[in-house]
Amino acid sequence: MTALRAAPVAAPDQAPAAEARAPGPRPLVLGVRHHGPGSARAVRAALEAARPAAVLIEGPPEADTLLSLAGDEDMRPPVALLAHAVDDPGRAAFWPFAVFSPEWAAIRWALAAGAAVRFVDLPAAHTLAATDPTWDDGEEVDGADRDTRVDPIAELARVAGHDDPERWWEDVVELRGAADPYAPFEALAEAMGVLREAHGHGGHPRDLVREAYMRLQLRAARKEFADDVAVVCGAWHVPALSLKTTVAADRALLKGLPKVKTEATWVPWTHRRLARRSGYGAGIDAPGWYGHLFAAPDRPVERWMTKVAGLLREEDRLVSSAHVIEAVRLAETLAAMRGRPLAGLGETTDAVRAVMCDGSDVPLDLVRDRLVVGDVLGTVPEAAPAVPLQRDLTRLQRSLRLKPEALDREVELDLRKENDAARSRLLHRLRLLSVGWGEAVAGRGSTGTFRETWRLRWQPELHVRIAEAGVWGTTVASAATAKAESRALEANALAEVTALAEQCLLAGLSEALPVVMTALADRAALDTDVGHLAQALPALARSLRYGDVRATDTAALGEVAAGIAERICVGLPPACTGLDADAAAEMRGRLDGVHTALGLLPGTGGLADRWSRVLRRLADRDGVPGVIRGRAARLLLDEGRLGEDEAARLMGLALSPGTPPADAAAWIEGFVGGASGGGMLLVHDERLLALVDGWLTSVPAGAFTDALPLLRRTFSAYEPGVRRTLGELVARGPSAGGGARPGAGTPGFAPDLDEARADGVLPVLRLLLGHDEPEKAGR
């Protein structure tokens, strides 16, 4: 391993000079670590010294025809080869490449030098056929675990006495160069040979099959190019490629492998997906840092600290050039103390934390996220193969100026503008196709239905989703329409069809609406469960409102919604009788949803009156659970259809001594619980607060214990300020001027309105409302 500890780092654009060893051993087998800038530099230097006629690279042979695109000026790593099964696009695999990947360096060198370049790993046609147990990493043979896959870097680091494999590899490869371009690969090959022998001379069964295929491809290349061939593959496979095996033995390992028809293309990738935390098995912890090491022409630590300082300045942190100088000095000092050839990621991170972040990990997390990992998104040329749906989406992204980005980005859409409305339709159609590029979120601006807020983030895996969705059509509109129609015919639940109708209106799929509406009418006519009807109505009401904003004809939808509302009014009172606590809580949510939905339905004056009568029946009906009776009373009060005196009477009945404490607590939960402003109602209505206070103080100790969980849930939902105000009002005790009317002695309330104090707010209200003239009429 001493060959790995040679010379200082060579600049990435300067290959170490070839010495007496050129043209080097034949065939030239270069064992690398995937995504290693040191390996990439060494591969480029070795190829430049040997100048082989053909370069064989670990990768799927189906992509051989795509290799020429790697030289296109529009191809910017990180990118990945995507292979998927033609009949099942969801069965897919990626082969990512960064600018500092050794394989990418080999491809670029071969294209520039005019050498033949090919992929020689096991075809994706076999890799994607996952029915053979050979591909099960956890298979057992004779009851023993056959998962012999090892981490060679970790093993070598352990033998060298290091407990951190990443740091060891950084020291011996990434931060060093070599005068002899072949020496590092010979040392790695020797080390891997010893490791494989120690682990049974073979490794995992999947590796044995892959290596057999690679040996066959190497033999074929040597027949065509003699020995003027170079192979770039994972270092673990190097010993296997030099094994003395027969063609028949290698073909026997490949016999009977499962196979599927596949297609391959280039797709953009991201640094974040190269990170190990993304789940990619050959990932690295710090792609941004490795990219910097590869690209920096000289003084990598100084240039890195300058990048960090620029990022922190953008976040309004006070970082000067003096901070950069001190951070570089500290990083170099730490490297010297730790016996490292150059300050690595650990030293630079420690220096940044101490000097630029004042010891805080909060800004340091930002550095890790933006620079150490990074949000670089690669690009591929238009000539790369793509399914028609992908091409249509690309066209729409350009025409709507909605560029895919790796970073989270919020987009505010005003649906009154033509371009924003088209963007909204595209994002909703993609969601219907399970292409989750955008997620609708609550906006910070207007809450009107003409505005939408989306959080966008492009992920490489979305290319697989697009390939899967390609079975529905060649354009986004046709695919979304076909999928909506199919879902409408297959849906069994009414709520599922109503949600689909809402999606169709949001996505502007007018051609799919007739099929969806027919399915909706059929399900609504057959469904007799009031709970299902109540669950379905809110989506219909939102659809009508959104359809109005998008100028969509929703007459048929309105008729179905009105019919469902009528059936709810008839069936809800008996459906609310005799429910247990869980069913009552669920029905209370349905009650809220129906009440809100009826407020959105157009032209429902008569239906609104009928709904009010339904609520009054629920509020007065003894057999209805307390949480529903309380909620019905509250909804009537909010709508002005229940007077304050009557509300106080209903509360007084619910909290009377004859009512079990648990039922009374449930009534309170329905009346003032949740996010319905119940806390402010108690703050401003002295009678209701007095009733609740009096009931609470009269509950027996044993019964209070049973009612406490429900009460705590009710009052804990209030805002902290509301809870504090209620506590102050109760603690203040009865006011001095308590009158004779009920509630006059409630703490914190005067018996009568103070008109002089009330008049004091009028000038402020006029200013806020834009009224210059004082009100001439009475209040």
Side-chain angles (χ1 to χ4, degrees):
M1 296 303 294
T2 55
L4 293 178
R5 305 177 180 274
V9 165
D13 294 330
Q14 301 172 356
E19 298 181 353
R21 295 285 303 280
R26 300 295 183 175
L28 181 64
V29 181
L30 306 177
V32 301
R33 185 191 186 192
H34 303 297
H35 314 314
S39 291
R41 283 194 299 267
V43 163
R44 188 170 54 192
L47 292 176
E48 187 63 31
R51 303 197 67 82
V55 180
L56 310 181
I57 299 172
E58 182 181 331
E62 289 91 342
D64 281 352
T65 57
L66 305 175
L67 282 168
S68 60
L69 293 174
D72 194 293
E73 62 180 9
D74 292 330
M75 179 77 86
R76 299 187 183 92
V79 293
L81 287 169
L82 165 63
H84 65 84
V86 174
D87 297 331
D88 183 9
R91 183 181 297 178
F94 295 96
W95 286 262
F97 301 95
V99 69
F100 50 84
S101 298
E103 299 88 346
W104 184 258
I107 293 171
R108 296 282 293 185
W109 181 90
L111 292 176
V117 57
R118 298 170 184 170
F119 284 122
V120 294
D121 201 353
L122 190 69
H126 299 306
T127 304
L128 297 178
T131 57
D132 190 290
T134 302
W135 313 126
D136 183 5
D137 286 351
E139 68 175 335
E140 294 185 359
V141 178
D142 298 330
D145 188 3
R146 278 286 308 274
D147 188 1
T148 54
R149 187 179 296 277
V150 296
D151 183 348
I153 304 301
E155 288 290 311
L156 292 177
R158 182 181 61 80
V159 172
H162 288 256
D163 58 359
D164 187 343
E166 291 292 330
R167 180 171 172 176
W168 176 83
W169 181 262
E170 200 174 54
D171 283 351
V172 300
V173 175
E174 306 303 345
L175 301 181
R176 293 183 183 271
D180 185 342
Y182 311 117
F185 300 107
E186 290 178 351
L188 274 177
E190 179 183 353
M192 293 301 167
V194 174
L195 276 180
R196 288 183 69 116
E197 188 172 351
H199 286 275
H201 220 323
H204 194 275
R206 183 186 303 179
D207 290 336
L208 300 180
V209 175
R210 293 173 59 198
E211 290 158 358
Y213 187 86
M214 284 192 264
R215 283 193 295 269
L216 291 174
Q217 298 303 106
L218 178 56
R219 289 190 185 99
R222 294 178 70 178
K223 287 182 179 179
E224 183 177 354
F225 300 100
D227 281 341
D228 197 12
V229 176
V231 181
V232 179
C233 63
W236 179 256
H237 305 300
V238 171
L241 297 186
S242 60
L243 281 179
K244 300 298 182 181
T245 62
T246 64
V247 173
D250 286 340
R251 287 178 175 170
L253 285 174
L254 301 171
K255 186 177 181 180
L257 289 180
K259 188 175 182 179
V260 294
K261 186 178 180 181
T262 61
E263 291 180 350
T265 186
W266 289 105
V267 297
W269 204 251
T270 67
H271 271 181
R272 209 168 284 280
R273 276 293 180 264
L274 285 171
R276 178 174 289 116
R277 67 182 183 183
S278 72
Y280 170 56
I284 53 177
D285 290 327
W289 165 253
Y290 276 6
H292 170 79
L293 286 182
F294 186 76
D298 56 16
R299 308 179 73 86
V301 177
E302 289 85 342
R303 293 178 183 274
W304 178 258
M305 293 301 185
T306 304
K307 280 185 179 181
V308 173
L311 173 64
L312 294 177
R313 285 174 188 153
E314 291 175 0
E315 298 298 322
D316 296 328
R317 291 191 65 87
L318 299 177
V319 179
S320 67
S321 56
H323 287 87
V324 175
I325 295 172
E326 288 303 317
V328 171
R329 288 175 177 171
L330 178 56
E332 292 175 344
T333 302
L334 290 172
M337 293 174 61
R338 296 169 181 174
R340 307 196 68 182
L342 189 71
L345 181 59
E347 286 70 36
T348 57
T349 299
D350 290 342
V352 168
R353 179 192 289 110
V355 178
M356 298 186 189
C357 300
D358 300 322
S360 172
D361 280 341
V362 175
L364 191 63
D365 287 341
L366 180 68
V367 174
R368 290 193 182 103
D369 186 66
R370 299 277 185 87
L371 294 181
V372 176
V373 175
D375 287 297
V376 179
L377 176 65
T379 60
V380 300
E382 292 185 6
V387 296
L389 183 62
Q390 175 67 67
R391 296 196 178 279
D392 183 59
L393 175 58
T394 302
R395 177 186 63 80
L396 290 172
Q397 288 170 333
R398 289 176 179 172
S399 64
L400 298 176
R401 299 186 298 278
L402 211 54
K403 182 180 178 181
E405 295 177 338
L407 280 170
D408 281 335
R409 179 166 71 102
E410 281 198 2
V411 177
E412 297 279 349
L413 301 181
D414 186 341
L415 302 181
R416 298 169 296 184
K417 299 178 180 179
E418 183 177 351
N419 190 67
D420 282 2
R423 287 178 169 185
S424 173
R425 288 193 295 269
L426 172 62
L427 294 172
H428 281 293
R429 288 171 181 177
L430 290 176
R431 286 190 63 81
L432 197 148
L433 291 170
S434 301
V435 180
W437 178 22
E439 177 185 0
V441 297
R444 294 186 296 270
S446 171
T447 59
T449 56
F450 60 87
R451 287 193 182 276
E452 285 183 348
T453 303
W454 290 83
R455 180 176 294 117
L456 304 182
R457 184 172 188 174
W458 187 263
Q459 302 284 6
E461 291 84 351
L462 295 180
H463 289 282
V464 177
R465 301 289 175 264
I466 294 169
E468 288 180 302
V471 301
W472 296 106
T474 58
T475 67
V476 175
S478 64
T481 298
K483 186 171 183 180
E485 292 175 346
S486 176
R487 284 180 55 187
L489 296 174
E490 294 174 357
N492 295 318
L494 176 60
E496 185 179 348
V497 186
T498 55
L500 181 60
E502 183 178 14
Q503 285 183 289
C504 288
L505 286 172
L506 294 172
L509 301 177
S510 57
E511 294 183 5
L513 273 177
V515 177
V516 176
M517 290 307 306
T518 300
L520 177 60
D522 293 343
R523 303 299 187 282
L526 297 175
D527 201 325
T528 58
D529 190 312
V530 175
H532 292 169
L533 298 174
Q535 184 181 8
L537 186 62
L540 292 177
R542 289 193 301 268
S543 299
L544 288 168
R545 174 64 63 90
Y546 291 138
D548 180 62
V549 173
R550 290 166 171 77
T552 307
D553 184 9
T554 57
L557 192 64
E559 294 177 3
V560 175
I564 290 178
E566 290 283 353
R567 293 171 60 191
I568 291 173
C569 289
V570 172
L572 189 60
C576 291
T577 304
L579 299 177
D580 60 19
D582 292 338
E586 183 179 354
M587 187 60 77
R588 175 211 167 161
R590 299 278 188 267
L591 194 70
D592 284 340
V594 171
H595 184 78
T596 303
L598 290 176
L600 295 176
L601 292 178
T604 56
L607 190 58
D609 293 337
R610 185 171 182 180
W611 176 245
S612 296
R613 292 194 294 271
V614 170
L615 292 176
R616 187 56 195 251
R617 288 177 60 191
L618 292 175
D620 292 334
R621 198 163 185 168
D622 292 337
V624 174
V627 67
I628 297 178
R629 288 189 287 114
R631 193 63 189 153
R634 176 61 190 280
L635 294 176
L636 288 169
L637 178 64
D638 290 345
E639 291 294 320
R641 295 177 180 269
L642 185 69
E644 294 182 359
D645 292 339
E646 183 63 11
R649 185 186 72 82
L650 290 175
M651 178 178 280
L653 291 174
L655 305 183
S656 64
T659 303
D663 292 346
W667 196 96
I668 294 174
E669 162 70 10
F671 191 77
V672 297
S676 58
M680 294 303 297
L681 181 65
L682 294 178
V683 167
H684 293 291
D685 193 314
E686 54 190 271
R687 291 172 297 175
L688 298 182
L689 178 59
L691 286 169
V692 174
D693 183 49
W695 173 78
L696 271 175
T697 56
S698 65
V699 174
F704 184 81
T705 303
D706 296 335
L708 182 59
L710 186 58
L711 294 171
R712 288 195 61 177
R713 185 177 67 188
T714 301
F715 292 103
S716 64
Y718 295 166
E719 294 290 335
V722 173
R723 294 200 303 267
R724 182 173 57 252
T725 302
L726 288 174
E728 291 172 352
L729 291 176
V730 174
R732 194 174 300 166
S735 60
R741 64 188 180 91
T746 302
F749 294 101
D752 298 306
L753 175 66
D754 188 338
E755 296 189 4
R757 293 184 63 188
D759 288 341
V761 304
L762 293 179
V764 178
L765 286 175
R766 294 193 191 100
L767 181 63
L768 291 174
L769 297 175
H771 293 295
D772 296 329
E773 294 294 328
E775 295 288 345
K776 300 187 183 302
R779 291 185 300 276

